[in-house]
Amino acid sequence: MSAKIYFTPGPSQLYPTFKRHLEEALEQDVPSISHRGTAFQEIYKHTVNALKEVLGLPDNYKVFFLGSATEAFERIIKNLSDTNSFHFVQGSFSKRFYEYSLAAGRDAKSLEAPYGEGHDISQANIPPATELVCFTHNETSSGVATPLENIYAVRRQLPEAIIAVDGVSSLPHPAIDYSKIDTAFFSVQKCFGLPAGLGVWLVNDRALEKARQLQAKGHRLGPHHELPELELKGDAYQTPATPNVLYLYLLGKICEDMLQTGLDIVRKDIDTKSTLIYDFIKNSKSFDIAVQNPSLRSKTVIVANTKKPASEINKALAPHGFVIASGYGLYKNSQIRIANFPAHDIASVKALIEHMQ
Amino acid sequence: MSAKIYFTPGPSQLYPTFKRHLEEALEQDVPSISHRGTAFQEIYKHTVNALKEVLGLPDNYKVFFLGSATEAFERIIKNLSDTNSFHFVQGSFSKRFYEYSLAAGRDAKSLEAPYGEGHDISQANIPPATELVCFTHNETSSGVATPLENIYAVRRQLPEAIIAVDGVSSLPHPAIDYSKIDTAFFSVQKCFGLPAGLGVWLVNDRALEKARQLQAKGHRLGPHHELPELELKGDAYQTPATPNVLYLYLLGKICEDMLQTGLDIVRKDIDTKSTLIYDFIKNSKSFDIAVQNPSLRSKTVIVANTKKPASEINKALAPHGFVIASGYGLYKNSQIRIANFPAHDIASVKALIEHMQ
């Protein structure tokens, strides 16, 4: 790998142990083994168990593998909603989740926060018959994070609804109480420091039961990657289609590393680094914190308003080996985004900040 | 990589240059670059162009990337059929294509050949209003290959229908006349010698137009990976969701290698090796060729009936470093499968045969 450090919000910096695990995987022929053999089943089992431990996932959850987190939008809508869904929208990715539901023919409703702002849950007006409520824990475009208490409040309000959480660019940082949600998902190129190409979907027994009920009613859940088939194969430590065996193996190894460090430390390090970055932005003459409300500021994707366009900032950072991201969509020139993932160590965050002065 | 050689029909042996290209990719930070930046667009462009040259794909085709070839089953059915499809079934994978169409609510018909046999096209009785005809060029389970002439005959018979070809475990070996089909797909862990985790979908202008017409009629094509959105993003050398950037890069590099060798030689080598393997099986006392009709025998996935179960044969081959596959599904014990991909050189095929005596 080059000497560059990528503070981009995914694809991003590879986990420091990535290359070593990759070399071991090649030594062991992981890319060549059969996805129907016992060696693969052992990898599957190891990765799922390590990931459940990293996330603190209760026993009533199962873990499935998809092509991307975007695929999870469709799987959740088609497998866990009969007619409707409700979406808390706070940027481009939460909006896309909502649009997928509309495109799938659901009666989808949304509460859209102004860019850079969050939601007043008490004003949400979620229809009482809502089946599926979708949150984006960490909005990768705007840098707005949803307080977990908002999610739990909706759970209390609508105990029958399935609660889905997009944790794409924050998991495993938020210590979610998984008994208060039903499904979540992420992609491995964010906080897990892997290349892109694998989505991970966490589903509890209630959600699995809902999919079975919809199927019994004659609903078309897939056919591709429909939940009952993912479950059937997953129970045998396999997948319905040939999966990305190599990344699945590497995810397990990086989970092992995180467990060895300790999740408390992984989370505390992210908190420490996010304080460093936000403090720098607050005191800087070139940048302002984009998310006004401190309780809504993402710890893992930090967004700042900038006078100079991101391209110029990157040009100035290039000789020092740092790469950050421009703002998303309409905010391409007026914002920058800095990822703060477990692969970024405190020293490199300090060095980045120094060169952004 | 270990000293083993995998003659399994995918995941299989990695392409001999795989490790070098992987190292270069890491040197260039390919896994960390943004999928919305110009460096990615250059990779996309290079891979698509190299692949089009490898396959001899005409200008009216576009190339898209999916999570797997199995995903392509669903994409083809949902994007290229309004109400019906017809499937030539000659094993487990062609059957699954058919079952996906039924599960998607299509009026799907099939002509199922007995295991190890092919189809008499003149007996097919394809309804004249059939919109989508699905062929599996190379059935990875049974080792039956479809003569290209069969596909072209159906084209003449039903010039209005969309013709889809599953080339998962044979492309780029068959020199398909792409003007006589409309769409095809494969996965990279077969003949391209990569790890699993990327499906490739080839689509011509007629098929793209059909998807647009279905969408205009109010059809729900996706929402995930629907063809008009794949096209929109693809025209900008991007993908709708974050793709497997690393494998996409590696695919382009391996296509370059194949072009340097020359596709004539790549194909001729497969022919030569398949003759060696079939001749060995024919003359062996332990094995019989599973596909009786010589014109239907796959060149890339060679299936033999065996008296000893595949597990015992693999046990005997293990000390010599060779791995072959058992039969598929019901034929697990009574058949073996030997992959013959570009990553397998003639010397190793000869050595394999020697140790199977």
Side-chain angles (χ1 to χ4, degrees):
Chain A
M1 285 166 275
S2 83
K4 282 188 195 168
I5 300 177
Y6 289 79
F7 284 93
T8 44
S12 189
Q13 185 66 15
L14 295 173
Y15 207 75
T17 55
F18 169 81
K19 209 173 170 186
R20 175 162 59 78
H21 295 312
L22 177 64
E23 278 159 11
E24 281 171 14
L26 295 180
E27 269 310 308
Q28 294 168 37
D29 297 331
V30 170
S32 297
I33 62 166
S34 166
H35 59 297
R36 299 289 176 228
T38 52
F40 174 74
Q41 289 174 310
E42 289 305 318
I43 291 171
Y44 189 109
K45 214 183 293 188
H46 174 266
T47 297
V48 166
N49 289 341
L51 182 63
K52 288 182 93 166
E53 205 177 332
V54 162
L55 297 171
L57 215 55
D59 285 343
N60 65 330
Y61 270 78
K62 293 186 175 178
V63 176
F64 306 111
F65 300 97
L66 305 174
S68 65
T70 313
E71 189 190 339
F73 291 165
E74 172 160 323
R75 300 293 156 238
I76 286 174
I77 290 155
K78 290 203 176 165
N79 285 272
L80 303 178
S81 138
D82 185 352
T83 64
N84 69 64
S85 63
F86 189 94
H87 301 256
F88 286 94
V89 173
Q90 66 216 39
S92 304
F93 292 96
S94 38
K95 190 165 193 171
R96 198 159 174 208
F97 202 171
Y98 164 60
E99 288 167 348
Y100 259 53
S101 190
L102 287 174
R106 298 299 183 272
D107 177 15
K109 305 221 176 308
S110 72
L111 178 67
E112 192 166 342
Y115 206 79
E117 296 181 27
H119 301 96
D120 180 349
I121 289 287
S122 66
Q123 302 295 309
N125 251 331
I126 311 173
T130 298
E131 297 169 83
L132 172 66
V133 182
C134 300
F135 287 96
T136 298
H137 172 260
N138 198 67
E139 176 53 64
T140 315
S141 62
S142 65
V144 172
T146 301
L148 294 178
E149 194 37 59
N150 282 10
I151 299 172
Y152 305 154
V154 170
R155 177 64 141 207
R156 286 192 295 273
Q157 193 188 325
L158 290 174
E160 297 303 315
I162 296 284
I163 307 278
V165 177
D166 171 342
V168 166
S169 55
S170 59
L171 281 176
H173 180 262
I176 294 176
D177 179 346
Y178 286 95
S179 74
K180 293 178 177 161
I181 71 167
D182 300 291
T183 183
F185 58 96
F186 65 88
S187 50
V188 299
Q189 75 272 21
K190 312 283 185 182
C191 289
F192 289 87
L194 281 166
L198 187 67
V200 182
W201 186 18
L202 322 170
V203 188
N204 77 2
D205 46 0
R206 275 181 91 208
L208 287 162
E209 180 54 30
K210 167 112 190 182
R212 282 191 288 265
Q213 283 171 8
L214 290 178
Q215 195 172 50
K217 279 176 70 177
H219 250 271
R220 296 198 177 103
L221 309 180
H224 190 54
H225 278 169
E226 57 190 20
L227 203 36
E229 207 199 348
L230 283 167
E231 188 184 16
L232 187 77
K233 288 289 187 189
D235 286 349
Y237 310 111
Q238 290 187 4
T239 54
T242 316
N244 192 325
V245 181
L246 178 59
Y247 291 7
L248 213 149
Y249 166 94
L250 293 169
L251 176 61
K253 289 292 161 185
I254 286 169
C255 285
E256 247 182 68
D257 294 335
M258 286 185 178
L259 290 171
Q260 192 141 21
T261 304
L263 262 288
D264 278 4
I265 294 172
V266 169
R267 289 179 173 134
K268 214 175 279 175
D269 277 357
I270 286 178
D271 295 341
T272 306
K273 292 180 293 165
S274 78
T275 303
L276 284 173
I277 299 169
Y278 278 118
D279 283 352
F280 158 71
I281 297 170
K282 200 160 58 188
N283 297 320
S284 150
K285 283 176 194 140
S286 309
F287 308 105
D288 297 307
I289 295 173
V291 177
Q292 294 304 304
N293 182 340
S295 70
L296 301 178
R297 287 175 191 157
S298 167
K299 301 273 171 103
T300 50
V301 179
I302 294 161
V303 180
N305 299 319
T306 173
K307 277 141 219 160
K308 283 190 217 164
S311 55
E312 278 185 42
I313 297 160
N314 260 328
K315 213 176 281 171
L317 286 171
H320 309 288
F322 297 107
V323 185
I324 61 163
S326 59
Y328 195 88
L330 292 174
Y331 300 85
K332 192 176 170 59
N333 283 323
S334 59
Q335 294 192 329
I336 56 166
R337 292 178 299 155
I338 301 171
N340 172 29
F341 293 155
H344 302 113
D345 62 24
I346 293 183
S348 63
V349 167
K350 284 182 177 165
L352 169 72
I353 286 172
E354 193 146 317
H355 291 293
M356 286 179 72
Q357 299 289 358
Chain B
M1 285 166 276
S2 83
K4 284 188 194 165
I5 300 176
Y6 289 78
F7 283 93
T8 44
S12 189
Q13 186 66 14
L14 294 173
Y15 207 75
T17 55
F18 169 81
K19 209 172 169 186
R20 175 162 59 77
H21 295 313
L22 178 64
E23 279 160 10
E24 281 170 15
L26 295 180
E27 268 310 308
Q28 294 167 37
D29 297 331
V30 170
S32 298
I33 62 166
S34 167
H35 59 295
R36 299 290 175 227
T38 52
F40 174 74
Q41 289 173 310
E42 289 306 317
I43 291 172
Y44 189 108
K45 215 183 293 189
H46 173 267
T47 297
V48 166
N49 289 340
L51 182 64
K52 287 182 91 164
E53 206 176 331
V54 162
L55 297 171
L57 215 54
D59 285 343
N60 64 330
Y61 270 77
K62 293 185 175 180
V63 176
F64 306 112
F65 300 97
L66 304 174
S68 66
T70 312
E71 188 189 339
F73 291 166
E74 171 159 323
R75 300 292 156 238
I76 286 174
I77 291 154
K78 291 204 175 166
N79 285 273
L80 303 178
S81 138
D82 185 351
T83 65
N84 69 64
S85 64
F86 189 95
H87 301 257
F88 286 93
V89 173
Q90 65 216 39
S92 304
F93 292 97
S94 38
K95 190 163 193 174
R96 196 157 174 210
F97 202 170
Y98 164 60
E99 288 167 346
Y100 259 54
S101 190
L102 287 175
R106 298 299 185 271
D107 177 15
K109 304 222 176 307
S110 72
L111 179 67
E112 193 166 342
Y115 206 79
E117 297 181 26
H119 302 95
D120 181 350
I121 290 288
S122 68
Q123 302 296 311
N125 252 331
I126 311 173
T130 298
E131 297 169 83
L132 172 66
V133 182
C134 301
F135 287 96
T136 299
H137 172 259
N138 197 69
E139 176 54 63
T140 314
S141 62
S142 65
V144 172
T146 301
L148 294 178
E149 193 38 57
N150 282 11
I151 300 171
Y152 306 155
V154 170
R155 177 64 141 207
R156 285 191 298 273
Q157 193 189 325
L158 290 174
E160 297 302 316
I162 296 285
I163 307 277
V165 177
D166 173 341
V168 166
S169 55
S170 59
L171 283 175
H173 180 264
I176 294 175
D177 178 348
Y178 286 95
S179 74
K180 292 177 177 161
I181 70 167
D182 301 291
T183 184
F185 58 98
F186 66 88
S187 50
V188 299
Q189 74 272 20
K190 312 283 184 180
C191 290
F192 288 87
L194 281 167
L198 187 67
V200 182
W201 187 17
L202 323 170
V203 188
N204 77 1
D205 47 0
R206 273 181 92 209
L208 287 163
E209 181 53 30
K210 168 110 189 182
R212 281 191 289 266
Q213 282 171 9
L214 290 178
Q215 195 172 48
K217 279 176 70 177
H219 251 272
R220 295 195 180 107
L221 309 180
H224 191 54
H225 278 168
E226 57 189 20
L227 202 37
E229 207 199 348
L230 283 167
E231 187 183 16
L232 187 76
K233 288 290 187 187
D235 286 349
Y237 310 111
Q238 290 187 5
T239 54
T242 315
N244 192 325
V245 181
L246 178 60
Y247 291 6
L248 212 149
Y249 166 94
L250 293 168
L251 176 61
K253 289 292 160 185
I254 286 169
C255 285
E256 246 183 69
D257 294 335
M258 287 186 177
L259 290 170
Q260 193 141 19
T261 304
L263 261 289
D264 277 3
I265 293 172
V266 169
R267 288 179 175 134
K268 214 175 280 177
D269 278 356
I270 286 178
D271 295 342
T272 306
K273 293 179 292 164
S274 79
T275 303
L276 285 173
I277 299 169
Y278 277 118
D279 283 351
F280 159 71
I281 298 171
K282 200 160 58 190
N283 298 320
S284 152
K285 283 177 194 139
S286 311
F287 308 105
D288 296 308
I289 296 173
V291 178
Q292 294 304 306
N293 182 340
S295 70
L296 301 179
R297 288 176 191 157
S298 167
K299 302 272 171 107
T300 50
V301 179
I302 294 161
V303 180
N305 298 320
T306 172
K307 278 140 220 163
K308 284 190 217 163
S311 56
E312 277 185 42
I313 298 160
N314 260 329
K315 213 176 281 174
L317 286 171
H320 309 290
F322 297 107
V323 185
I324 61 162
S326 58
Y328 196 87
L330 291 174
Y331 299 85
K332 192 176 170 62
N333 284 322
S334 59
Q335 296 192 328
I336 55 166
R337 292 177 299 156
I338 301 171
N340 173 28
F341 294 155
H344 301 115
D345 63 24
I346 293 183
S348 63
V349 167
K350 285 182 177 164
L352 170 73
I353 287 171
E354 192 145 320
H355 291 294
M356 286 178 73
Q357 299 290 0

